[in-house]
């Protein structure tokens, strides 16, 4: 009987090297591929696999997205960044509510795409400061209703109802009013 020597390092799992710039690169790629809704399509078009990869970083993906949002100046990039924050929340990130000072600059955007994305984030995080802008969005949209390509007040109204359902969020808001 012969025994063959075995190298144990073959059985030790190697640690995958991670590129710390990867989320930044992925966010830039996502923004390039993101397409806004239009008259023929009432939903955004995006790369689902890339979205899942970015959101899998959870809290580590927040900084690259917010860095992009700080510089964003067009509706497409703003909507793409807010969409990513929504997906990052869905993936289990806990600190997206801390991005309010950055994303609040879009609170009074006339873009329905931006409003829907903000409403989704505020609905999930229940940031107390988000309630007032949601009501303002809802009222301004009610004055000039639109259905093309979608009605933003469906999401904005749903976010307001979530705040009302969660009494602690409203109580926190009413302290400041």
């Amino acid at each position: 009987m012969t025994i063959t020597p075995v190298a144990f390092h073959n059985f030790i799992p190697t640690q995958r090297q991670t590129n710390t710039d990867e989320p930044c690169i992925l966010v830039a790629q996502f923004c390039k591929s993101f397409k806004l809704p239009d008259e023929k399509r009432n939903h955004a078009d995006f790369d689902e696999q890339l979205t899942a990869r970015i959101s899998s970083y959870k809290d580590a993906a927040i900084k690259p997205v917010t860095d992009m949002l700080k510089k964003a100046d067009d509706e497409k990039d703003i909507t793409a960044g807010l969409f990513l924050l929504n997906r990052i929340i869905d993936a289990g990130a806990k600190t997206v509510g801390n991005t309010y000072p950055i994303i609040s600059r879009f609170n009074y955007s006339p873009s329905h795409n931006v409003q829907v994305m903000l409403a989704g984030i505020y609905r999930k995080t229940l940031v107390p400061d988000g309630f007032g802008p949601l009501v303002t969005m809802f009222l301004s949209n009610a004055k000039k209703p639109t259905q093309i390509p979608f009605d933003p007040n469906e999401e904005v109204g749903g976010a307001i109802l979530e705040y009302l359902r969660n009494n602690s969020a409203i109580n926190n808001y009413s302290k400041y009013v």
Side-chain angles (χ1 to χ4, degrees):
M1 177 164 158
T2 55
I3 299 176
T4 359
V6 176
F8 286 104
H9 65 82
N10 290 340
F11 299 106
I12 299 173
T14 57
Q15 210 173 20
R16 185 180 145 216
Q17 297 210 351
T18 57
N19 179 356
T20 55
D21 291 335
E22 187 176 36
C24 298
I25 295 166
L26 295 176
V27 168
Q29 289 174 353
F30 179 80
C31 289
K32 285 180 187 173
S33 69
F34 189 83
K35 293 183 180 111
L36 289 171
D38 57 27
E39 296 80 30
K40 297 177 183 171
R41 188 185 67 242
N42 69 347
H43 61 279
D45 196 18
F46 57 92
D47 183 343
E48 184 64 52
Q49 290 179 334
L50 187 55
T51 306
R53 189 167 172 194
I54 294 168
S55 61
S56 72
Y57 284 96
K58 298 180 183 175
D59 288 302
I62 294 172
K63 183 169 177 9
V65 173
T66 55
D67 287 348
M68 183 276 297
L69 283 170
K70 286 177 186 175
K71 299 173 191 163
D73 59 354
D74 68 333
E75 180 184 18
K76 179 181 164 267
D77 287 344
I78 295 167
T79 305
L82 295 173
F83 178 83
L84 283 174
L85 285 179
N86 266 299
R87 286 296 183 92
I88 291 168
I89 294 169
D90 294 342
K94 304 293 183 207
T95 59
V96 175
N98 298 340
T99 66
Y100 182 80
I102 296 163
I103 64 175
S104 65
R105 76 181 185 114
F106 309 118
N107 280 347
Y108 302 104
S109 170
S111 164
H112 294 161
N113 295 306
V114 172
Q115 290 177 5
V116 166
M117 292 299 128
L118 280 174
I121 292 169
Y122 295 160
R123 173 188 280 199
K124 295 170 187 173
T125 60
L126 294 175
V127 177
D129 291 342
F131 183 74
L134 285 171
V135 172
T136 302
M137 284 179 217
F138 189 85
L139 294 174
S140 68
N141 292 338
K143 288 179 185 175
K144 298 178 188 173
T146 183
Q147 300 291 322
I148 299 170
F150 56 85
D151 182 7
N153 270 356
E154 289 180 24
E155 183 69 24
V156 174
I160 291 170
L161 289 174
E162 189 64 30
Y163 272 89
L164 294 174
R165 193 169 69 88
N166 185 326
N167 290 331
S168 63
I170 293 300
N171 290 337
N172 288 339
Y173 175 72
S174 63
K175 288 178 189 177
Y176 302 108
V177 176

